[in-house]
Amino acid sequence: MASGILTIVEQNDGKVSRIGWEALAAAQEIGAVLNQPISALVLGKNAQAAGKAVAEAKIQQVWFAENSELLNYTPDGFSAATKQIIEKAQPQYVFAGHSYQARDYMPKLATALGRVFMSDCIGYRFEDGGVVFIRQMFQGKINADFSFTDQKSGPNFVSFQAGAVSSDKLAKGGSAAVADAGVNLSGASIRTKVLEIFEGVKGKVDLTKAEVIVSVGRGIKEKDKLPIVEELAKALGAEIAASRPVCDDGWLPMDRQIGSSGQTVAPKLYVAVGISGAIQHIVGMKGSRVVVAINKDERAPIFDLADYGVVGDLFEVVPALTAAIQEVKG
Amino acid sequence: MKIILCLKQVPLKDSQLKITADGIWVDEKNLNFEINESDHYALEAGLRLKEKHGGEVIVISMGPAARLKQAISQALAKGADRALVINHEQPILDPLLSANLLAAAIKPENPDLVLTGLQSDDLGFGQTGVVLAELLGMPHATLVMEIQSLDGRLKIKRELESGWFQYIELPSPAVLTVQSGYAPIRYATIKGIMEAKKKPLKEMNVADLGVPMRQSVKMSKMYVPVKSKQTQILQGDAKSVAKQLAEKLKNEAKVI
Ligand SMILES: Cc1cc2nc3c(=O)[nH]c(=O)nc-3n(C[C@H](O)[C@H](O)[C@H](O)COP(=O)(O)OP(=O)(O)OC[C@H]3O[C@@H](n4cnc5c(N)ncnc54)[C@H](O)[C@@H]3O)c2cc1C
């Protein structure tokens, strides 16, 4: 019977990524309740170094795979390597953070083993001796409880959204053995060839140091309406930023995008104008000290993390706010 | 180039969603539907490839056939050549099952390329394309921002996190999941709309596909998330709200 939780811990050139620690924290918590041992797997260039860091978490075993076929990430390579380890270890669960990399190969891996992949979970509950996973639906407007119909046999593949589990919860002070997973990829056909990796915009504006940010979303409807938000930004002495659709449409340059595919910011004030608050946006701004949301839909997920909310039409509220700010600032 | 284009219909972005009494789906009675956002971009990618290299774009969609007509006609009016519809009344909440059904319908077509959106705006599993690739034995790429077809190989620009990108190459046939923002989306022309009416549409039932309707996941309950933060919602007309907010930002939060 399958048992244990294997956690795929993402790393980059020896450095464990935050989402990797978070997945481990989830594994520790779920493992404790289900009474299951936890192992971790790190793949790719300098995986051994990353593995040593991972071994400091209180877990039972760390595996690494650093084969030449894994130096550049490819879905075929990572999936073949992980599959070999899963077949050996027979875990009941396989966890990972829902990174762009995980979403690129975990569905393939799960399918190759005839299993389903429960992607992008924001939390979990325990029920009747099993685990219920919580997922967002409809871009964060609704949550739903999901479970595996066949959770006993495994492996059950699960990924957790960034921030779903706090890495502060991670129990450290462990000294797990770090071992080469002994992956053999000589027979694996790796169909993807990586040519080059590059940054989208050279010399991009750095929003990470901005103290105040006014961010505009699709609620603005057209490019010609942007000046009303720009005036608010001016009154606040703020940098202007945007959600993805605004940059996709070319209304603002791409380097003003906040979120998982844009910049991560932590200003003291973040004003979200006509932004719904999809998770990929939120991961880029949730470190802001004070969040103001202006949105006509009272159920927009952005209100869940706003300190101050205005339910209303931005075309009325924003100009009024600009005037009011000018007044209090004198 | 024979391109299969997977298209999903989802509730309009601005919909006021109401959860049904049994808690396992939204009340669809008063909802309007639209093409899933990233699928629009996948369609655009497919049409551009066809314009450059010739061939055909075949739209495939799964769901209640009557409701899907609108999305399908829109795709045909923009330039897709024909459509396959897998008729199924209930929403399928299992990404493995959805992909299995799609794969069964796609396989006989022997496509050179399968395009899907990156992720659906309703369920958000973000994996149908990748699972499809594995079921069809094809390589795949996700988060695709650019596609060049060069002698049986595809050169792809993919998005990575935090504003980084990569170029990769892979052989075709392949499955690509297209990210929103790929290229500006076209509108259908009047001529396109007229022509769409004559384009072939093949309807099939789930039962025709020979796929066991086995659920690997079960959704037991849907609910509106509980707020984690104490949000002060300011009340009043625009002017009064603005005044309150400005004062609070200055005196309470002390951020301006
Ligand atoms: C892999 C991946 C990566 C992504 N990366 C990013 C990213 O880095 N950054 C990002 O932002 N998104 C990203 N996205 C997209 C993300 O999922 C959302 O689609 C996007 O954030 C939505 O932007 P929005 O809130 O501006 O638009 P919408 O979700 O359309 O929201 C518009 C909001 O405006 C409100 N509104 C409309 N009219 C008015 C009005 N008159 N007055 C007041 N309010 C109004 C509406 O109620 C709605 O809440 C990514 C998606 C994926 C799948």
Side-chain angles (χ1 to χ4, degrees), chain A residues 103-104 108 117 119 138 141 143 145 147 149 193 195-196 198 200 244 260-261 303 306-309, chain B residues 13 119 122 125 127 134 140 142 159 162-163 165 167 169 179 215 218 220-221 223 231-232 234 252:
Chain A
R103 65 188 292 145
D104 191 61
K108 171 185 166 64
F117 170 38
S119 48
F138 301 99
K141 285 191 197 162
N143 284 355
D145 289 352
S147 50
T149 50
K193 196 166 128 202
L195 303 175
E196 84 182 282
F198 57 97
R244 180 168 188 128
S260 58
S261 46
F303 285 123
D307 297 276
Y308 300 101
Chain B
K13 273 220 166 53
Q119 170 164 337
D122 53 359
F125 278 108
Q127 54 174 278
E134 183 65 18
H140 75 265
T142 57
E159 184 177 304
S162 312
F165 294 86
Y167 275 109
E169 238 179 54
Q179 169 67 307
Q215 301 278 346
K218 184 174 158 251
S220 50
K221 192 164 67 133
Y223 45 93
T231 307
Q232 287 191 41
L234 307 175
E252 195 176 271

